Structures are given as structure tokens and as C-alpha cells.
Amino acid sequence: MSFILEIIISALIVIGGFFALVGSFGLVKLPDLMTRLHGPTKATTLGVGSILVASMLYFWLLQDSFTIHELLITLFLLLTAPITANVIAKAYMLDHADPDKDLPKTGGVEGWATFDAIGQEDDVDAPTTGTEPARKPVPEL
Amino acid sequence: MEFLVASSIGILCASGVYLMLRGRTFPVVVGLALLTYAVNVFLLAMGRLAIDLPPILSPDATAYTDPLPQALVLTAIVISFGMTALVVVLALRTYLEIGNDHIDGLPDRTPESGDKN
Amino acid sequence: MSLTLIVLLPFIGAVLPAIMIRAGRNACATATGSVTLLALILLAVQAPAVFSGEVISVRYDWLTGLGLNVTFFLDGLGFLFASLILGIGLLIIIYARFYLSKDDPMGRFYVFLLLFQGAMVGIVLSDNILLLLIFWELTSLSSFLLIGYWKHLPEGRQGARMALTVTGAGGLAMIAGMLILGNIVGSYDLSVILQNTDLIQASPLYVPALILILLGCFTKSAQFPFHFWLPHAMAAPTPVSAYLHSATMVKAGIFLMARMWPVLSGTPEWFYIVATAGLITMVMGAWIALFKDDLKGLLAYSTVSHLGLVTMLFGFGTPMAAVAGVFHIINHATFKAALFMTAGIIDHETGTRSIRRLGGLMHLMPVAATIGIVAALSMAGVAPLNGFLSKEMMLQEAWETTWFDLNWLVPLLATIGALFSVAYSFRFVVHVFFGPRRDDYPAHPHDPPFGMWAPPAFLVVLVVLIGLFPAVVAGPLVAVTSAAVIGGALPDYHLALWHGVNPALGMSIAAIIGGLLLLWRHGGLSSAMENMSRPDAKAMFDIVIARIVGLSRLISDNLHDGSLQRYLSVMIVAAVAIGASGFYAQADHLAGTRAILPVTLPALIGWVLLVVSCIAVVFTHHNRLYCLLLSGVVGLIVSLGFVYFSAPDLALTQISVEVVTVILMLLALNILPKESPKESTTSRKFRDGLIASIAGLGMGGAVWAVMTRDYASISDYHLAQSYVGGGGNNVVNVILVDFRGFDTFGEIIVLGIAALAIFALIETVTQGEAAKRLAGWVVQARRSKDRHPLMTVVATRVMLPLALMVGAYIFLRGHGEPGGGFIAGLVVSIALIMQYMASGFGWAQNRLKANYHGMIALGVLAAGITGLAAVVGGFPFLTSDYGYVTWPIVGTFELASAMGFDLGVFLTVVGAVMLALAKLSQVERMAGHVEINVEPMDHDPSAAAPSPSKEA
Amino acid sequence: MLKRYLPHPLLTLVLTAVWMLLINSFSMGALVFGLLLGIVIPVITSAFWPGRPKITNYRGVVEYILVVLWDILVANVIVAGLILFRRADRLDSRFVVVPLDITSSEGITALAGTITMTPGTVSCDLSADARSLLVHCLHAPDPQGVVDDIKSRYERRLKEIFE
Amino acid sequence: MGHWMIVPIVLPAIMAALIVLAVRHDIVLQRVFSIAATVAMVAVAVALVVYASGHGPEMYALGAWPAPFGIVLVLDRLSAMMVLLTSVLGLGVVVYASSQWDKRGKHFHALFQFQLMGINGAFLTGDVFNLFVFFEVLLIASYGLMLHGAGAERLKAGVQYVVVNLTGSALFLIGVGLIYGVTGTLNMADLAVKVPLVTEGDQALLRAGALILLLVFAVKAALVPIHFWLPGTYANAPAPVAALFAIMTKVGAYSILRVYSLAFGEGAGDMAWLAAPYLMPAALVTLALGMTGVLAAKRLNGLIAFAVIGSMGTLLIAISLFTPDAMSAGLYYLLHSTFAGAALFLIGDLIMARRGEQGDHLRTAPGFHQSGLLAVLFFGAAIAMAGMPPLSGFVGKLLILDAARESDLAVWIWSVILVTSLMCIVGFGRAGSVLFWKSASVEGQIETGETEWPVLPIVAAGGMVAAMVALTVFAAPIVGYLDATAAQIFDTSGYIGAVLGPDAVTASDGLSISEMTGVEAETDTSEAAAGSGQ
Amino acid sequence: MIEYALNFGFGCVGLALLFNLWRLVAGPTVADRVLAVDTMAINAIALIVLYGIGRATSMYFEVSLLVAMFGFVSTVAYCKFILRGDIIE
Ligand code: NA
Ligand code: NA
């Protein structure tokens, strides 16, 4: 019984390590940021998730101490990975993507949020100087 | 293992010191941060190295690492955090006041113009 | 008691002129004079005792351990000088009342004068050489003020500083000399020192002490080669010159030589130093005086010369010469003070002190002229005036003196000195008072008011009386003073006009005839002198001082060039050097014997990551964002290292601190330049690299040495007591909140202060240069139009409750497991900051409405009050307690007072982090020129209408 | 009354569960305390989450989670294959635009997150009016198929949950 | 002593927190709180001094943990005196600042109280790492105060000050770390017991650590060549802060004399008097360089700052002789130079405020308001700083010269002290002449609006000068106190016994000290241990 | 057996970290570097969990939890910085 469990746990560890490696390998291999983004957000997350499950099972089944808090980390990673990917993509596109040439049109009136503020015509932010008066609805500290 | 730790501390210290000797506030702050890492690990190492002997009492544990240096490092981390915060803001504030971020408040200079830095 | 009062009266009285000046100049002068008169009367009361040979003394303990006590004694010498100081002082006070103009601040003058007077009296009455030193230096200080009294005159200021420098320097040398002397004898009491001649003169330290003390005397008494300051001090008002530079201060050195005569004189060193200096001073001073056109200059150099004369006499070291010296002190004081006052009158009435512009004053101001002529004749040594008497005695002593086997040298030079003296004295008389009346005086000269000529007249009467009846008028005083100087039996001497035909008479006659001849040829000589290049003392002094200041600036300015890089490199090199010097102070270094841990794969990976990151930071530091990212990696690796080496609390703390630091640095980096310019030269980089490498080697080597050897620590106690005494299983946490809770108390205060200081720093950003710069700030980089991306807003909303949950968990478990108030505080702060970052400052701030200042304060108070609760219970500050509580359903749980403390930590951390970051973000908003947002996202698709912030 | 102090029972449950996960061992005391926190924390953070969606379709939630978890597993194998075995220049990577019907910001976020976690796609940007989603595909020879897949497999389910 | 020992630390901390919590928007209430707290602190400090002069060293075990395991405070003559000095100086400073300085930025009074807390903590603690913590408290408070009111020059100097001290803090930890790594303890008394027991093989490391720690203290004490931070910092700090900083350098000096006479003193075996060979030359050079700076100064604040450096040199010359006589002399000079430096900075500030754009530049300019009174004060403080009579500087220097005569370096010490005194006299003479005399030859008067009589500032600055007068007049009782203090410093067994109990004293080798100093231990150690609140 | 699996895991994750480091140093865009650091944090979690399994201790769970939380926060902060300059506006 315990042998089978060990095999399962070991497999999870191996799979996890493998995926983590693949994700990071993608980071090295893939040609540009947009493609590289796919590796870590998925492969790495799954890899770590798999190791976390291995840990859970290990403590639960082999160490006799029921632990499930690894789930929490998994939950966290699942919740945060898309946001991370989103902001990194936006950060990349701002400097390296021309919304007119490199990106498809939104299909609506407004452009992509990174380049286009709602209700305004301008495309790209020009350098701003200190003319705009700051409204202060919020008390400073 | 001790060699890895000692050399890490040495390298952290050397990088930190090198950056601290640069002419602008930002690298100096980063240098101080690196030196702080070095010092923190240094302090921890003063309690000698121990693997998987955390100073958390438990009936299973047979030995513990020296908890005292850890407590000292914690205090040191917190203090240097406060200090770093202040020095960062000070660097910023000084930059805003005098218009450049040279550590001595000197005007910007080109590489040819002097051996100041 | 009255002795003390004599010294103290001028000091106490010094407040009077300052107060009385409002009552008018007369009242002020009267008050000042009364003080002096009172002191003089007190002195006179002691006269009978002194003249009967008694030594009156008084003693108060002050600093007995050091040997510095307030002890005064009054013997003949002290009596003579005190009389001169107070008597002439009184005359000067009267004289000055009329001399000073309405514009001169008279109150101040009298204050300084009384301070000086007190200091002088102190010198001559001190029975403790340390006390004497105090008064000695006080005369330097008060004379500095008096010389610089006319502060609008550059000559006055410079003269004052020169006098202070020279006499101050001498005074400092004398301190050393006196300390040596005191140490030879074992006491600083003069009366003891004066008993120990043999001990002192046998000591190997006698010569250094002698030289150092003489330096003090010579500078004060303007002896060669320190004579140059005195003429420049003449820029002072004439009453000052008359008082300080003829009658009193310059005699302080003479006084001290007289005072120390019994113990210091009689050795060859004494003779050759003192007598030679005196001789040179006498001749040289007289020669220079001869060619001075300024009346006060003439008198000043004449004073130098006469002081040289007295010095020479004391230098001879014979009792007879000492008597002559004492007698000449008295005589010189009378005629020279009178002459100074006369010069002052002439200056006052004619508007000039230049002899070339004077002449014929006999007709215009007969009274003053008479006074001046009599006094000048006395100075020339013409019989039957008092100057003649003491000069005769001097010449006689000189006749009997052999200098390095040359028996003619001293008599010859003494005669020449006397000759010059005759010449300048007669020049004073002839060129000022006689000759035709001129019509080009700057003012209309006439005799001064009574108050102004009475004081010199009184002195001139003394000049005549002493000359005619020396034994009666001056005899007792000379006797008692000489007795005090000699400290033994008096020699056989007679104060009389006629001593028969002796060498002195011949020398005297030769001097007078020669002097008159010299005066006759004066015009030619004078122009010859003018054509001769002479060293100008003032110019030389100025050059020397300028050179010293220049050198100081060279050293100081070059050393303190304001370069932090230099300061830091010096500091680091010093640290390495001192550490190494300590380490290598021992010849053999035993290697440690502690077992080495094996290297594992994860550790090796971590090491590679760390090393590469460090190297990368160094090489890419010009790009600051990369630099930050890389240093973040270093932080991560260090945290992993903490995990690996059994320090989970450290890892937690490091990681949390890391994030806040990154946020902070990014906030700063938004304003700061994004790149560091490449401005270091290769050699500079090499040098810094070398320093850095050595520092790294030192630190690494030290840690290696420590880790490889065993030790025993006090922390075994902490491990043993953590649960039993502190109620916690996490020993690190128990140390933090209990064993060493006091450290933590200080640590949170550091954090609180940092936040307050940051707040204060940024508060001023709205003013001055910074505000201008921010108002004109140009946002350089392309900015995304999406200020608050929707996904991030939503995700952080979900995360907030989760993160708070984690915060609560970390806080509560800290005592038993890794965690605690600090980390929990950071977790909560970061969760809150996340709201600011995702949904914008305005929106988050409106919802948070927390008083971060108050939070910091409450945190410190909570920790402090937890500590004080123990005090109330009678235990030391921060004594902890814990217990177990059982509630239905919930079960048993631990309650520890340390949690109250940890709560304080938590509150302070949250308050400090939030205050610092939120306040810092104000700068960003000022620079960014954007509206503060009231909506969390730029466009909320859930809402029916477009968001209000877009419509505004 | 209950509504005021327990505005979001689901959130309370989730938080209590998180607490139990953190505590990592079951005890009555921990549960009570977790429940307490689960009630208190939503109240004190309510200002930061205005208009929290009232989710009542629990079955939909569970179903959705299972679907997504399965897709994540599959996604990873596919992406791993692409990374390891396909030459970079033979990847047919491109942007696609997913027009959105869902308007709840939570729903949009969940959809975008799901897209990122599932096969070969990463949500990159929203249009300024939140009507379309920019998605990057690692390897998408059939872009329209990807869009249709997303809309039918995820957006539909999410709409049921959130709207 | 009950719990009074904790008051100088906890009172200002609580007070600062209350100021931030309750009255941070009301400057008047802040002043009331701050001054009241400082007055109370003076009162407590007086009581502590009185108590300490009648008893041996006493320990306060924080958290009731026995030494060396917990942190202890130690009250002896020295620490009590330093706390009193801090309080009195602090009172003068807060009074001065309350006239208007405190309005130029936020949180002056809170930072000020925290600063006092840090300084007092450093003086009272008996634990090396706790000393580090209090160093940091006082440093970070000083950063806040130093930057109070901002301004370009001040900010520039502030950056340097902060960075240098951060480096110093790192070195502090390295030094403490090495000491702990070898001895396994942090308690100073315990260190004194354990240092002589360190085996030969480990001594090199301990020595290296102790010397690095010495360097850190020397940074605070502004010793050459690590004094560089001081001129810029002091010259650009707000005047009341610069005045308060007069005690900060003393913290460095105090730490040196405490640690290196207790743990590395006579009883330290192979490491006896470890610091002396390094300190003495550095102190001599410091004095020389400080006074060179005085001569070279082109600005008044620079002049004063360099004079402070010089005075630190003088003080450390006395300390590094490590004899009871010299220690007593040094402590006297410490008291004196603290007031002298503070007085000069305050007076300099009053002058500067009235000289308008001329500021503290030592150049000819028209006269200014109240120059008469300021001249008197300046003259008084200057002669004190230069060590001229009749103020305490002269007594202090005499004491030091007298105490140095037995030293091998006596000739050097005497020469340097006396020659530099002259440099100081010349430097201050030039400055005073330019400021107060030369203005008389220039037409007109500078109008800055500062025409009101600054009552509070004058009281504060005058108080400092008065303190020096008091030091002179009451030199005998003060030196008496200091002699006993010096004896107590050298009688380490009293300190060790108070902290660790009488058994520890017999365990250590450092027993013969009382014989050396000729002073018997006054302490009844068992009583001290009993009264420590355990 | 788990021992071998763990060593394999360490090897994989270690190699992954080195890949991340390579991307961090090589760039070329800032976004690449941020992505590299973010991935590093996630791999670090794997490393800690593997270590925990190897040592049979759950002592380090909170560390990995915080790495997860704060890795995210700093990544968002970096990106916000690139996108807007001001991360709190
Ligand atoms: Na638009
Ligand atoms: Na996807």
C-alpha cells in the first residue's frame, strides 16, 4: 500500500518538477514575450500545483498528519497567475505593440484599454506637463 | 556548505560595497540593501549553520539551531527596513530639491570631465 | 577675606558700569572709580602689615584634587603691583571719563577695564600657580576686548587679534611650564614652590619648565623676539595704552619673573636667556622708538625698551640687580603712565599724534607741556628725577656683568640703550613742545580740563618726589618688594641721587651727551632709516597667520571635500584595516575544528543564483529597474537560504520586507532618473572594486572562521525557558516579544520614527524648489491609458479578505509557530497597499479612512502599556504572563500578555508602512498631474451609466 | 438582521474554509474562530468590494470549477508539448478578439482568468469599454474556433453564475 | 531604585506617542507636552544621580529575565550622569526650539522625545545588542530632526549623514556578531566575564570583532578618519538639533569607555586595554584636524562643527589614557564640551537669523540687531570651547593635562592640546572679530525682521553658558562625583556583581582592579542584586 | 523512491531557476525580466515545498504562502510601474 502511495507521490513530484522545468524552458526557448508568457502561467503553475498535491498526499498518507493547507497556495496561484500574465502582457504591449498595426481591432468604438481611454479620441499618451489641475476630492494624509 | 555561505556573504558584501561607492543615490541605496543582506546572513551564521533544526519547540525535535542570532537578525531586518525607507525617501526628496541625484549633490557631469566618481 | 575682596571687587563691580551707563557718563565713571577706590582702600588697610614684613594669605578650597585652589597672598611684591594696578587704574578711570567721546560706549569700556583690573590683581595676589594661570589668560582676553574697543578701526581689530594670539600662545606655553613646575614640587601652591629652589633646579625638567614659563613672560612683557605685538596694540584708546601697555599688563611678565626669581634664577640658563633677551630688547626697543613719529608708537617702543631693562636686571640674577629692577618698575610706572596720558591729551587737543605735525605746544598748552617734559626727562634718566636713580643702578649692575667672558659687552650695550633712551626722550620734549608754534594743527590745541591733566600731574609729582627723596618716598616700598622678590636678606643698597663718581655716572653722562648728539643728527638718520628696508613685524605676522590659515584650508578643505564616496571608502578601508589588525595581532591562527556540513544540490543552485545575481547587479546597475529586479532576486535567494538554514521566521520577514521595499523603491524610481550615468573612470572602478573585494574577503573570511569553530551560547537558556517561562514554542518569537522584548520595543519605535520622518520630509515637498520642480514635471515615459485595469481591481478585491485572514493567522500563531505581529503587520499592509495600487489612491483612501499617525502612536502605546502593566503589578517593565483559558465550544487556548505587546508591534508596522507609502505617493500624484480618482476602475461595465469621474 | 451581519454567506464560508486550511488541523475552537473571522472580515472589507455579486447558483460554480480544472490539466500537456517539440518559427501564434456579452466585472475577470489558465491562450487586454477581450494564442491555426470555444465553454457558464 | 531606571526611556517614548496621537495638530500643546516631559525627565535624572552617588551599580532586569539571558539596564554613576546631562541639554534644546524652530516641519517634538529616549537607552543599557537598537533609535530620530525643515544644503548633508551611519550600523552588527560568535553572549557584564576565558585560538576573531565595534563607536564619536560625516551634518542641521547632537558624539565616547573598560579592560587577560593603542593616536589627530578646521572655516557653523570635532579629540585623549584620573578628567571635559558645543550652535543660530542673507558666512557685513548681547554670549561660549578661563573648558583641559603627565605620550598630548588651543583661540578670535567688530566699519544695519528680543532662545543659550559657569564654580563637588565615577568604571567587579550576582565576580579573572585604582568597591553586590526588581 | 523523485524535482526546479535567471539577465524587454522574476518566485515555492517533503516538515508552509502572495504583488507593482510610472495613483 505504502509503496503504491510512494509511487503516486513520487510521480506527482516528478510531473511537477517536469512541468516547472518546461515552463521555464519555454521562457528561454520561445521567441518573444507574448509567447513566453504561456509557459510560466500554465506549465509552471501546474508544476507547482502538482508538487503541492504531492506534499499534501505525502503528509496525509505517509506522515500521518492531515495537511491541506497546500490547497491554499494552489488557490492563490490560480487566482493570481492570470492577473500576472495580464499586467505583464499590458506592460509589454505598451512599449512593443502598435495598436494600429500589431493588434486586431476591438470591433467596437473604443480601443484597447492600454492605449485608449474611454470617451477620448487620442491614441497614445503624449508627454504630460504640469498644466492639468489636480482635483482633490480626497484628503491627503 | 560553510564555504558556500561564507563566499555568498563575501560576494554580497563586495557587490554592496562596490555599489555604495558609486556616485548616485540609487545605486548607493541598492548597495546598502545588498550589504544588509550580507550582514543579516552573517549574523545568522554567527549561530553556526544548522539544517532543518528550526528553533520551534516540538516533542519530536532532538536539537535546535541557536535561536538568538535569528532574533537579532529579525530586529536588524526591521530596523534596516525602516532605515532603507527613510533613505529612499530622502534620496527622492533631495533629488527634487536640488535637481540631480548625485550623492554629493554635485551637478551632472560627463565621464570626461572628472575623476570624481 | 579682604584679600579675596580686593580681587573680586573689580569683577563684581564690572556689572556696575553696564547698569550705570543709563544714569550718565559721570555716574558710570564714578561707579567704576568707586569700585577701584574701594579696592585700593582695602589694599591700603593691609599696608602696615605688609610693611612690617607680614605675609597675609587666605585660602578657599576649590579643586583640591587637581591642586587648584583659591589662595591669595599679599607680600611686598604683590602689594607693589596691586597698588600700581589699582592706583593707576583709578587715575585712568578718571582720565578716560574725559578722554572718551560721546559716541564711545563708555559703559562697555569700563566693564572691560574692570575685568582687566580684576584679572591683573588676581595675577599678582595668587598663591596658586593654576589660579594665576586663570587670571593670566583672563588678562589676555580682557585686553583683547580693550584693544579692539574701537571696533570700527581695522588697526584696533588686528592689533587685538595679534595681541591675543601672541600672549595667548605664551600663556599656553606657560600652562605647560607651570604644570611641570607643579609636578616637580608636588604642589601648585606658590608658597610651597618658592621653598623648593634646589628641588626645582636639580630637576631634569627644570629647563623645559623654565623655557615654557619664560615664553609666557616674554610674550606678555613684549620681550624680544615677541615684542612686535605691543606697538600694534597702541591702536587702542590711549587710556588703554597707558594702563595696559605701560603700567600693568606688560608688567605681568616682569611680575612673574620677579615672583619666580627665587626658584628659577641663578642658573646659567636663566642668565643667558633672560639677561640676553632683556638686553637686546632694551637696545632694540630704544633704537626703534627713536624713529617713531607717532607719539604713542614712540612711547610703546620706549616701554618695550624699559621692560627689557627690567628683564635684563632680573636676568642678572643678583640681589642687587633685583632691587634695581624693582625700583625701575616703580619709576617707569609713574613716568610712563604720565607720558601716555600726556600723549593722549595732545592727541585729543591737537587731533594728531604725529611728531612731524607737532611742535610749539609749550605756548598753547603749558600745563600739559610741563607734565610731559618732566616725565620725559625722567624717562631720559636726567637727574634729579626718579628715572635717573634706577637707571644709575642699572648701569652699575651692567658694569659688573660679564657675558660669555666678555666684560665690556653688557656695559657698552647698556650705555647705548641709555643713549638711545635719552635721544628719544629729548625728541619727545623738543619736537613736540618746543620750536615755533604752528598754524596747521588739525584742531585748536589748548590745555585740557582739570580732570584730564590732574591724573598725569599727580604722577609727575611722584616722579619728582621720588627723585628728590627716594629713601623716604619709595624706600620702604622698594625694601619690602625687593625682600619679597629675593626671598632672603636684602643686599646693601642706598636709594640716593648721589653715589659719588662711579662707572655708572660716567656711562650716564656719556649716554646723555651721546643722546643729545644723536637728536641733533636725527633728521639725517631718520631719512636713512626710512630708506633702509626693515622687517615689518605686522606684515610678517600677517603673512605667518595667513600662511597657517592657508595651510589649514589646504588640509581641511581638501580632506573634507564633501565627497561621500571618499568618506565611505575611507570608512570601509578603516573597518577592514582595524579588523585585520586585530585579527593578525596574534601570530598563530588555529583553524576551526567544527564539522563541516555537506553541500547539497538545492544549496548549490541557490549559491549559483546568488552569485550570478550579485555579479549581474554590479554590471547592470546603470539601469536602475534591472538593478532593482536583480536585487529582488537576491532577496528571494536570501530568504530561501533562511528557510534552508532553519530560520523560517527570518524567511517570512525577509520576503515581506522585500515586497514593501520594492514598492517603495518603485515609487521613488518613478521620479528619480531611470539610469545612472556612466561617470566612473576605469581606475576609479578598479579602485572601488579592489576595496569592495577586500571588504568581501574580510567578511567572508571572518564568517568562515566563526562557522568552523565551536562555541557555547546563552541561548540554551532561551530554548529551555521558552515554553516554561515564556509560554511559546517559537523560541525566536518568545525572544522577540519576551526575553528581548525591549529590543523589539526599540525596533518598532525605529519603524514609527522612520514613518514620521518620511511624513515630515514629504510634507515640505509642497514648498520651495521641490514644489516648482514637481509643478513643471514632464512625464517622459509613454503611459498606459488604463490607470486601474479592471482585472487587477477585481482580483485584489477578492484577495483582500483572504490576505487579512492570512494576516490574522500569522499574527495569532506567532508565539508557537513562525509568524508574529511584525510579519502579520506587513501582510496586512501589503494587502491594503494592493488596494491602493489596483484601485487608486483616491478610492482606497476614501474607504480606508485610517489614521496612520494614530496607529503608530497606538502601537507604541500598546507595547509600552503592556510593559507598564507589569510595573503596576510590581514586576519589571515588560515582564510577561500567560495562561490558558477554556471556553465552551472553543476549547482551551493560550492568552499571553506578550500578545498585547505583539499587537503593538502589529499596529506600529501597519501604521508606519501605510503612512510612509501613502505619503510618498503624494509626490507621485504631484508629478503625474492626474486627477485623484474616486472610482476604482476607469470604466465599470457592471454599472449602467459611464462612471462619474469621466464626466467630471 | 442576518443580511446585515452576514451579507455574503459564500464569502464567509470560503473564508472559514481558508482559516481551516491555514490552521491545518481541525478543532472546534479553530472552526468557531474561523467562522468569527469569516463574518467579521467581510464586514470590515465591504467598502472595498462594492456591489459584491450575489451568487446563488452553487451548482453552476462547482460545474464550472471542474470544467476549468480539467481544461487546465489538458492545457498544460498541450502547452508543454508545444514548448518542447515545436520549433519556435513553426508556432502559429496570434491575437484573437473575443467579443463579450458578459458585463459583470467579476464575470469578465473570471473569464479572462480562465482563458489564461487554459490551453494556449493568455488574456492580454480589455477594450476600454470592456466589450471585447484581447487574447493571445500560442498556437492557433483556427482563431474563430478558439473564440467560439471560449464563448460556449466558459462565458455561457459564467453568465449563468454572475448574471 | 525601583522602577525609576526605566523612566528616562519609557517616559519620552510614551510622551512621543501621545504627542503623535493626541496633539499633532496643535503646536502649543505639543510644546507643553514636550517641555513638561523633559522637565520631568530632568527631575528623575537628578534623583537617579543622587541615588547612584549613594549606591553601587544596580541592575534592572527587563521582563524579569535574569542576566545575561534577558536585557538589563544598569544604573551606575556614569549612566546616571549621562542621563542627567542628556535631560538638561534636552531641556535647553526644547525650550530653544519652542520659540519657532519646531514649526518649520512636522513632528519635531515627537522626534525629539524619541531622540531622548534613544540616547537615554544607549546610556542605560547593559546589553551590546540592545545598545545597537538604541543607537538606531537615536540615529533615525536624529535623521528626522536633522532634516527638519528641509532645504537643499540640509538635504545634501542629510544624505551623507544617513548613508555613513547606515554603513556604521552594518559594521555594528558585524562587530556584535563576531563577539557573539566567539563568546556566545551579548550582555556586557557577561562579556567581561567571558572575554578572558576565550581560548587563544579564538582570540583573533574576538579581537577583530571588538575593534570593528570600536570603529563604529568612533564613527559616532567623530574620530579621525571616520569623522567626515560631522562637519556637514552639524553645520547644516537645524540649530537646536545641532545643539542636541552635542550629546550624540558623546554616546560614541560613552560606548567606547563603557565597553572597552568593562569587557576589554584590565580584566580582559590577553585582550586587556584593547582599544587604547588605536584610540590615542586617532584622538590626537582628531584634535589637531578639528582645530585645523576651525582655523580654516569660512562659515560660523563649520567653525563650530570643527571645534566640536576637536573637543571630541580632547575627550578621547583623556578616555584613551584609561586611568582613573584621566577618566575623571575626561568625564568633566565631556560635560563641559557638551554644553560648549550646544551653546555655540544656539548662539550661532541667533546670529545667523539676524544676519539675513549673510547667514553664517564669515565675511564683512553690516551690523545686526542685538549684536551686543549675542557678542557677549558668543564670547563666553567661544572662550569655553577654546579652553580659556574662567569657564569650564579651562578646568577641563587642566585636568586632562594634569592626568596625562604620567603617560608615555605626555609630550605629544600636551603639545597637541596646547597648540590646538591656540589655533582655536585664533580661529574664534577671527570669527568674532568679523561678526561683531568689522560690522562697525560697514555702513547700515541688516534688517531681517528679527528685532524682537528672543527671550526663550536667549534663556536656552544663556542657560548653556550658565551651565558651564556652574561646572566651573562647583568643580570640586562635580570632580568629586567624577572621581568616584571613574573609580566605579575601573572597578568592574562592582558592575559585574550587580548584573550577574556576586558569584560571577569570583569566576572572572578581573579582580585586581580595585587594587590597581586604589579604590575599594563600594557596592554591596548582594544588595544590588536583591534590589534589582527580580 | 521519494528520495529519487525529490532529487529529480530539485534538479528540475533548480534548472528552471537557472533558466529564469538567464531570462532575467538576457531580457531583452523589461517585461521579460519581470516575467522571469515572477516565474522565479513560483519555482521558489516549488523548491520550498520539495524541501518540506524531503525534511518531512510543514514548518515552511507559510514561507511558500507568502512567496505566492508577495510574488504576485511585486509583479503587479513592477508592471504598474512600467505602465503608468506611478504605482499608486
Ligand atoms: Na477612446
Ligand atoms: Na489560456
Side-chain angles (χ1 to χ4, degrees), chain C residues 324-650:
Chain C
V326 167
F327 193 31
H328 195 72
I329 289 170
I330 298 169
N331 297 335
H332 178 256
T334 51
F335 66 69
K336 188 52 67 61
L339 279 169
F340 263 110
M341 289 193 238
T342 311
I345 290 168
I346 293 165
D347 184 15
H348 202 262
E349 299 300 328
T350 64
T352 179
R353 299 196 314 235
S354 173
I355 294 178
R356 287 173 189 269
R357 300 190 59 185
L358 294 168
L361 290 181
M362 189 68 203
H363 313 287
L364 293 168
M365 35 201 315
V367 177
T370 310
I371 294 167
I373 290 165
V374 174
L377 289 177
S378 178
M379 177 162 77
V382 173
L385 302 170
N386 62 355
F388 169 76
L389 298 176
S390 44
K391 194 181 70 179
E392 287 285 292
M393 291 169 82
M394 179 275 285
L395 291 171
Q396 186 63 37
E397 287 307 304
W399 179 257
E400 289 163 12
T401 303
T402 302
W403 195 86
F404 278 118
D405 296 335
L406 305 173
N407 56 8
W408 51 267
L409 185 76
V410 177
L412 178 68
L413 289 175
T415 311
I416 290 174
L419 185 153
F420 292 157
S421 181
V422 170
Y424 67 68
S425 300
F426 277 98
R427 179 163 181 247
F428 183 86
V429 171
V430 175
H431 289 187
V432 173
F433 298 113
F434 294 103
R437 193 158 137 180
R438 304 170 63 146
D439 47 14
D440 60 345
Y441 305 117
H444 300 290
H446 54 79
D447 264 323
F450 173 77
M452 215 162 161
W453 64 255
F458 174 77
L459 290 171
V460 163
V461 170
L462 282 180
V463 165
V464 176
L465 285 179
I466 295 172
L468 294 175
F469 315 107
V472 179
V473 180
L477 187 57
V478 172
V480 73
T481 309
S482 303
V485 172
I486 296 161
L490 284 175
D492 187 22
Y493 70 94
H494 303 283
L495 300 183
L497 271 174
W498 184 247
H499 286 280
V501 179
N502 56 11
L505 187 64
M507 288 153 81
S508 199
I509 291 167
I512 290 176
I513 293 169
L516 288 172
L517 282 171
L518 197 58
L519 182 61
W520 178 49
R521 302 298 302 169
H522 182 269
L525 263 176
S526 186
S527 39
M529 278 295 289
E530 264 169 30
N531 294 332
M532 237 165 71
S533 69
R534 281 164 299 141
D536 177 9
K538 181 174 180 307
M540 279 163 60
F541 177 83
D542 286 348
I543 288 171
V544 168
I545 292 289
R547 287 262 164 83
I548 291 174
V549 169
L551 184 66
S552 299
R553 291 209 167 132
L554 192 72
I555 295 171
S556 194
D557 293 354
N558 276 309
L559 218 51
H560 309 97
D561 66 349
S563 164
L564 180 66
Q565 288 158 291
R566 166 183 292 184
Y567 301 170
L568 274 186
S569 48
V570 168
M571 187 168 165
I572 289 161
V573 168
V576 174
I578 197 169
S581 88
F583 191 84
Y584 291 108
Q586 205 171 353
D588 54 331
H589 291 92
L590 300 176
T593 53
R594 191 183 166 91
I596 302 288
L597 293 174
V599 176
T600 62
L601 182 61
L604 197 62
I605 293 164
W607 185 79
V608 171
L609 289 171
L610 188 83
V611 171
V612 174
S613 309
C614 281
I615 294 169
V617 170
V618 167
F619 281 94
T620 64
H621 79 266
H622 292 288
N623 186 319
R624 295 178 173 183
L625 191 59
Y626 298 171
C627 190
L628 197 57
L629 277 162
L630 282 162
S631 70
V633 172
V634 173
L636 182 67
I637 309 294
V638 169
S639 310
L640 292 179
F642 287 148
V643 170
Y644 193 78
F645 295 114
S646 320
D649 277 286
L650 294 193

Side-chain angles (χ1 to χ4, degrees), chain E residues 43-120:
Chain E
V44 172
V46 168
L48 290 176
V49 166
V50 169
Y51 184 85
S53 59
H55 298 75
E58 279 195 15
M59 171 190 77
Y60 187 88
L62 289 150
W65 295 108
F69 311 110
I71 294 171
V72 296
L73 304 182
V74 180
L75 181 78
D76 61 357
R77 288 170 159 274
L78 179 61
S79 55
M81 180 189 87
M82 296 308 292
V83 168
L84 179 59
L85 178 65
T86 309
S87 319
V88 172
L89 183 75
L91 186 59
V93 168
V94 75
V95 166
Y96 186 95
S98 289
S99 76
Q100 55 161 317
W101 254 111
D102 57 356
K103 283 194 291 192
R104 299 190 192 173
K106 294 280 175 188
H107 291 313
F108 179 88
H109 290 285
L111 290 171
F112 175 80
Q113 291 296 327
F114 278 135
Q115 169 91 77
L116 292 186
M117 175 221 178
I119 297 171
N120 285 340

Side-chain angles (χ1 to χ4, degrees), chain A residues 110 116-121:
Chain A
E110 301 289 349
D116 191 4
I118 192 161
Q120 287 173 14
E121 290 304 312

Side-chain angles (χ1 to χ4, degrees), chain B residues 22 50 66 96 101 104 117, chain C residues 564 624 646 680 688 711 715:
Chain B
R22 299 303 91 206
D66 188 343
L96 284 174
D101 69 335
D104 305 326
N117 306 291
Chain C
L564 180 66
R624 295 178 173 183
S646 320
S680 301
D688 292 347
Y711 77 127
S715 57

Side-chain angles (χ1 to χ4, degrees), chain A residues 13-72:
Chain A
I13 291 173
V14 168
I15 291 169
F18 172 75
F19 274 104
L21 180 61
V22 169
S24 295
F25 177 64
L27 202 57
V28 174
K29 182 195 168 190
L30 295 171
D32 57 38
L33 182 106
M34 290 314 303
T35 50
R36 282 173 206 144
L37 208 46
H38 290 268
T41 44
K42 285 178 282 285
T44 306
T45 312
L46 182 78
V48 176
S50 162
I51 291 174
L52 284 163
V53 172
S55 165
M56 219 158 67
L57 292 177
Y58 174 77
F59 284 104
W60 184 11
L61 303 173
L62 294 183
Q63 293 294 313
D64 238 11
S65 66
F66 175 77
T67 86
I68 45 167
H69 57 199
E70 285 83 354
L71 274 181
L72 200 60

Side-chain angles (χ1 to χ4, degrees), chain C residues 59-78:
Chain C
R59 175 188 175 95
Y60 304 96
D61 284 346
W62 185 13
L63 247 181
T64 323
L66 177 62
L68 168 59
N69 291 306
V70 181
T71 57
F72 295 112
F73 77 128
L74 182 68
D75 62 353
L77 183 64

